[in-house]
Amino acid sequence: MTTKERALRVIVTGAEGELGYTLVYGTNEPGIAVLGFSRSGMDVNDLEHCRHVVKRYQPDVVIHCEQALPIHNVALAANEFGTKLVYVIQGEASDAEKEIGPLAHRAYVVQLDSQLTQSEGLNKELAAFLVHLVQTDNYGLYHLSAGGELIWHAFKQQKAWRPSVR
């Protein structure tokens, strides 16, 4: 990285969860700075607080790993500041589309198959995949299945993602 370049700044919500923790503490890629927030650190139910956090830290990307909490305020704040958004969801993708709606033009929705059992090894691979993904402009809906297949629905293409840990 040259002196004129700066690290890719990533905010992770749900940093106390398995995937969020892995993203925050397991991302050792040069040129990537990851800052994690627990529920108390970034209140995703409060739009003004989301705006404050995004404005203060000026991330390039927000990865929302907090499954139990809504994304709408995070999406609005990210959109206001031109920040990319990743929504990791275990459930119906239509729910994600309702929550981020027209803000999806700079979003990656990563839907985890309900049969995809998360483990430390799988979380490491998923975190590496997300870090790689956010360095692209390949926005859209991704579906990760238990069979180790990633389907990129939004662009009618299929891409393989084969976890080595099952």
Side-chain angles (χ1 to χ4, degrees), residues 14 24 52 71 82 93 118 130 134 149 152:
V24 173
H52 170 76
I71 190 172
Q118 287 187 279
L130 292 173
V134 300
E149 190 172 2
W152 186 7

Side-chain angles (χ1 to χ4, degrees), residues 49-100:
H49 194 252
C50 290
R51 285 177 173 145
H52 170 76
V53 170
V54 173
K55 183 178 181 180
R56 178 175 181 195
Y57 294 102
Q58 299 177 359
D60 300 294
V61 182
V62 175
I63 300 177
H64 186 68
C65 294
E66 184 56 70
Q67 295 288 316
L69 295 175
I71 190 172
H72 189 73
N73 292 331
V74 175
L76 287 172
N79 188 58
E80 282 181 34
F81 295 97
T83 302
K84 293 179 180 183
L85 177 68
V86 179
Y87 186 16
V88 179
I89 181 172
Q90 193 152 20
E92 291 298 317
S94 59
D95 295 340
E97 291 175 42
K98 287 177 200 170
E99 289 202 56
I100 61 175

Side-chain angles (χ1 to χ4, degrees), residues 5-28:
E5 294 176 4
R6 69 170 179 81
L8 179 74
R9 295 181 195 154
V10 179
I11 283 181
V12 174
T13 65
E16 292 177 341
E18 291 177 32
L19 178 58
Y21 184 89
T22 302
L23 278 162
V24 173
Y25 296 103
T27 301
N28 298 319

Side-chain angles (χ1 to χ4, degrees), residues 99-124:
E99 289 202 56
I100 61 175
L103 307 174
H105 65 283
R106 285 182 54 84
Y108 314 86
V109 176
V110 179
Q111 180 187 15
L112 304 178
D113 187 298
S114 61
Q115 295 180 7
L116 190 66
T117 305
Q118 287 187 279
S119 65
E120 183 179 342
L122 187 61
N123 281 330
K124 285 180 182 179

